[in-house]
Amino acid sequence: MTEDKSTRVIVPELVTVRELADLIEVSPIAVIKQLMANGVIANINQQIDYETAAIVAEEMGREVEPQASEEELEDKSSVALPEWRKIIEEEDETDLEQRPPVVAILGHVDHGKTSLLDVIRRANVVEAEAGGITQHIGAYQIDWEGRPITFLDTPGHEAFTAMRARGAQSTDIVVLVVAADDGVMPQTKEAIAHAQAAGVPIVVALNKIDVTGANPERVKQQLSDSGLTTDEWDGDTMVVPVSAKDSTGIDDLLQAILLISEDIAINANPNADGTGMVIESKIDKNRGVIATLLVQNGTLRKGDIVVVGGAWGRMRAMFSHSGDSIDEAIPSCPVEVMGLDVAPRAGDTFKTVETVRQARTSASETHKSQKTIGQISPMVDLESIFAEFESGKTQELNLVVKVDVQGSLEPIVNSLEQLGTEGLKVRLLHTELGNINENDVLLAIASRAIVIGFNVTPDTSAQNLARTKGVSIREYQVIYRLVEDVEKALQGLLEPEEQEVVVGEAEVREVFKISKIGQIAGCYMRSGEFRRKALARVVRGDKVIHDGSISSLKHEKDDVNQVRKGFECGIGLKGFQDFEIGDALQCYVLEEVR
Ligand code: GDP
């Protein structure tokens, strides 16, 4: 690196701040600061002339010379585009204008997400006069030195990914909060995976730097190990030290957000019809249905007729996040609206239509299509992904991999990374230690990924979500089998797998001894149902102590085929006698994963 830096850098006649920063291998912020020291105020995409660039570069220890190969520079400055930007790219460029970035705050629990949202809000939002009550409507917009930024008010990647899973990506930039005294934790890693899977750039807020024992350098190293190398170390990630408690570093954080937002060109057409996303909704007993909408394109006006999912209505009143009545909301503006007939679902897309008739028809059509989507939600299993590959719809097999111990994680990741055929590549969205949880499944839904568990199991909520959304969770105990399966999947050769589906759970409340037959568990059905022909597991504490078939199922004195939730029953298991009061008996069936 040092040798490289001694060579001359070729700089064109006109160069943007970012291009210059890339060329002289420093962060854009450093260039902006150096320009400021010379009395030049420039943003990251602003062009400066060769003379200015040369002075700045030389002051930063680099020698430059004019002329450049333009192709080279274009290559350097091109940034990978997230999916949502491609859509905007298809719009007529002349209609597009810059809109404020929409920012979500993610990070590990207790690292200060809520505190940071509060401190940013308090410092930069003029609250409504009515008693100064802070309303939380799901999002707010600040005005920082004349430049607006929208913050989504529900921190955490659960909300972020739940929206994505519904096809509603609204976040332009993620602020990852990491406590300087605690460092990168499991949910920090999850948050990174979720943001990266969504293709959303990350700025790190290194919070709690006021705490004794805060160790920013250690955290920077951990971040670097997780793929986010600070720009101080020649990486791409801005890591901004802040303290939500002392309100320090907040301006730097906002500046960093704006730098990124300039870099990725966040645009919309304000002159189109208002369209966007529902952030939250509720029914107020005095005011009726209240929904918070985030305008993503166009302008939403009071009096507009809006359709959202199966709901529709004329916008009778609109309020800003401060509770002020407003007449219009432009792109990136969160707005609380009254007038919808029923409460829409968070994540639903709203659009404006011309007539009430159109609104009614569209609402009822959406209603129908939502039902259809609900009934045949797209499967995310290996076979259907391969079908998509064959039809040219995808070139990647996305995987979420959960493993029991570090020692297994590395060989698994290494082997999986080496797989891949001509066109179909393996992309590891998230690899982590621990059981498969709901977040893993949400990430899989949002990114059309398969969840792979090695010596770990999905918890109940993960199982339920995976089942209702048709997400494939594949469990393995042998590494080579896991790798072989993924390899087969890449070639479309995988056999359908059977998965266990729990259909009910009973609690053992008494144990009877019946001569010749043995011990029978007197049970109360806690959930679902027990089926005579299904299989059953005995769970004591958090351990499975027996797994096998059912020998008898009785309700009162009768043999029955099934017993439902809320009823009592007697259960006998083949090859198992040692029931104890308090055991849970799980009834499950095997279903083909398809
Ligand atoms: P969240 O779970 O990420 O939303 O975290 P919170 O915002 O609820 O903060 C968790 C705890 O950390 C609270 O007790 C906060 O008062 C405290 N906290 C948040 N930010 C800071 C900070 O910058 N410095 C210190 N010392 N404490 C903080």
Side-chain angles (χ1 to χ4, degrees):
M1 267 299 163
T2 341
E3 290 159 37
D4 284 343
K5 288 199 175 184
S6 67
T7 56
R8 276 167 173 264
V9 178
I10 298 166
V11 175
E13 273 298 296
L14 283 173
V15 63
T16 66
V17 169
R18 164 163 284 278
E19 285 166 351
L20 180 64
D22 277 351
L23 286 172
I24 61 175
E25 295 171 309
V26 297
S27 81
I29 308 168
V31 173
I32 290 170
K33 283 186 190 152
Q34 198 63 39
L35 281 164
M36 275 161 101
N38 283 285
V40 180
I41 307 291
N43 68 37
I44 197 161
N45 289 323
Q46 208 156 319
Q47 285 191 322
I48 52 175
D49 57 26
Y50 172 76
E51 277 70 27
T52 314
I55 293 168
V56 169
E58 267 161 30
E59 284 173 354
M60 299 181 84
R62 301 302 305 271
E63 281 188 32
V64 299
E65 60 181 68
Q67 282 289 353
S69 132
E70 277 186 22
E71 297 82 355
E72 238 177 47
L73 288 181
E74 266 169 27
D75 273 358
K76 275 217 154 200
S77 61
S78 72
V79 183
L81 295 180
E83 197 57 38
W84 58 267
R85 284 224 32 220
K86 290 182 195 149
I87 298 161
I88 298 269
E89 293 253 308
E90 282 163 18
E91 299 246 351
D92 191 341
E93 212 173 295
T94 52
D95 293 334
L96 295 178
E97 289 179 20
Q98 197 175 6
R99 63 174 173 80
V102 177
V103 179
I105 308 241
L106 313 188
H108 195 73
V109 64
D110 279 348
H111 279 199
K113 299 181 291 296
T114 316
S115 310
L116 200 58
L117 273 163
D118 285 347
V119 74
I120 293 170
R121 179 179 180 130
R122 257 186 280 123
N124 297 285
V125 170
V126 184
E127 295 298 348
E129 281 168 26
I133 298 162
T134 307
Q135 298 198 76
H136 283 270
I137 66 165
Y140 64 80
Q141 197 172 61
I142 63 158
D143 190 332
W144 189 70
E145 299 188 347
R147 303 178 62 192
I149 306 174
T150 302
F151 284 89
L152 298 175
D153 212 350
T154 317
H157 55 270
E158 295 81 359
F160 174 84
T161 300
M163 291 283 186
R164 261 189 83 221
R166 311 212 30 219
Q169 169 62 19
S170 62
T171 305
D172 300 308
I173 295 169
V174 158
V175 169
L176 178 70
V177 180
V178 189
D181 61 340
D182 203 21
V184 170
M185 299 302 281
Q187 285 168 36
T188 320
K189 288 188 187 164
E190 276 188 26
I192 295 172
H194 286 229
Q196 285 178 339
V200 178
I202 299 174
V203 51
V204 176
L206 193 49
N207 192 31
K208 304 199 189 186
I209 46 158
D210 60 284
V211 177
T212 348
N215 190 344
E217 294 310 304
R218 185 180 69 105
V219 182
K220 282 179 203 161
Q221 185 55 56
Q222 292 173 336
L223 284 165
S224 179
D225 296 341
S226 302
L228 298 180
T229 307
T230 162
D231 54 4
E232 285 170 55
W233 300 350
D234 284 339
D236 291 328
T237 309
M238 288 196 247
V239 179
V240 186
V242 299
S243 162
K245 180 166 166 263
D246 297 345
S247 297
T248 50
I250 307 299
D251 281 355
D252 294 338
L253 180 64
L254 300 177
Q255 168 89 52
I257 290 170
L258 288 171
L259 279 175
I260 295 180
S261 85
E262 279 162 15
D263 197 21
I264 55 177
I266 298 168
N267 296 327
N269 174 7
N271 297 315
D273 292 335
T275 173
M277 195 186 86
V278 178
I279 295 180
E280 59 182 44
S281 72
K282 62 182 178 197
I283 300 174
D284 181 291
K285 63 178 185 306
N286 299 319
R287 300 196 297 163
V289 173
I290 312 274
T292 301
L293 308 180
L294 175 71
V295 180
Q296 291 174 298
N297 199 45
T299 298
L300 181 68
R301 295 188 172 81
K302 200 163 143 182
D304 277 354
I305 304 166
V306 161
V307 188
V308 45
W312 71 275
R314 195 182 284 277
M315 299 296 93
R316 278 194 283 123
M318 309 203 322
F319 303 95
S320 74
H321 56 92
S322 324
D324 299 322
S325 172
I326 54 172
D327 291 335
E328 58 175 41
I330 56 173
S332 297
C333 187
V335 57
E336 208 182 35
V337 300
M338 281 167 62
L340 290 171
D341 58 346
V342 289
R345 295 182 307 175
D348 273 354
T349 297
F350 75 85
K351 63 180 185 199
T352 325
V353 292
E354 290 292 316
T355 62
V356 167
R357 202 193 159 105
Q358 274 175 304
R360 281 216 178 95
T361 322
S362 176
S364 76
E365 272 168 14
T366 319
H367 202 69
K368 274 187 228 146
S369 71
Q370 268 180 353
K371 269 195 184 158
T372 330
I373 291 166
Q375 280 156 6
I376 45 156
S377 60
M379 303 293 278
V380 199
D381 56 21
L382 286 168
E383 294 79 13
S384 59
I385 286 179
F386 186 74
E388 284 176 11
F389 166 62
E390 282 201 311
S391 65
K393 258 165 99 188
T394 183
Q395 279 82 46
E396 280 179 338
L397 174 61
N398 289 335
L399 299 178
V400 172
V401 181
K402 296 298 285 274
V403 175
D404 59 342
V405 290
Q406 187 69 37
S408 310
L409 186 63
E410 266 177 42
I412 289 174
V413 167
N414 288 342
S415 317
L416 290 177
E417 275 175 346
Q418 279 163 25
L419 296 180
T421 57
E422 265 297 285
L424 188 56
K425 297 273 168 286
V426 174
R427 183 172 168 222
L428 299 173
L429 292 182
H430 184 41
T431 54
E432 196 40 27
L433 302 186
N435 274 338
I436 298 160
N437 60 34
E438 212 176 11
N439 277 321
D440 298 321
V441 179
L442 268 177
L443 178 60
I445 298 167
S447 313
R448 295 194 59 69
I450 304 291
V451 183
I452 292 201
F454 182 76
N455 280 336
V456 294
T457 48
D459 61 27
T460 316
S461 52
Q463 264 175 18
N464 290 341
L465 185 64
R467 193 165 63 246
T468 49
K469 295 293 177 188
V471 173
S472 177
I473 299 181
R474 301 185 77 102
E475 295 168 41
Y476 298 89
Q477 280 80 41
V478 185
I479 295 184
Y480 94 85
R481 276 230 167 275
L482 184 165
V483 177
E484 195 181 72
D485 259 13
V486 175
E487 194 164 23
K488 277 189 194 162
L490 289 165
Q491 296 157 3
L493 297 174
L494 201 68
E495 298 296 322
E497 192 189 42
E498 283 190 326
Q499 74 174 7
E500 291 173 8
V501 177
V502 174
V503 293
E505 193 168 293
E507 180 190 321
V508 179
R509 293 200 164 166
E510 274 176 85
V511 182
F512 305 106
K513 180 158 175 43
I514 297 188
S515 54
K516 290 192 195 141
I517 293 178
Q519 306 277 71
I520 294 289
C523 297
Y524 172 76
M525 281 305 299
R526 287 208 154 281
S527 63
E529 59 185 30
F530 235 83
R531 298 184 195 162
R532 170 71 180 78
K533 297 222 165 89
L535 297 158
R537 269 192 288 261
V538 184
V539 184
R540 188 167 298 159
D542 56 2
K543 287 212 165 57
V544 175
I545 57 167
H546 176 76
D547 200 338
S549 51
I550 298 163
S551 57
S552 69
L553 181 63
K554 279 184 192 284
H555 177 55
E556 297 181 342
K557 296 232 147 54
D558 304 324
D559 283 314
V560 288
N561 284 330
Q562 65 197 50
V563 182
R564 295 228 165 85
K565 180 182 172 188
F567 289 93
E568 290 181 338
C569 58
I571 298 172
L573 299 181
K574 249 185 217 154
F576 184 81
Q577 303 277 325
D578 308 327
F579 297 109
E580 279 183 13
I581 293 171
D583 285 349
L585 303 189
Q586 254 179 18
C587 180
Y588 68 93
V589 292
L590 292 176
E591 275 180 9
E592 211 173 69
V593 182
R594 255 239 60 113

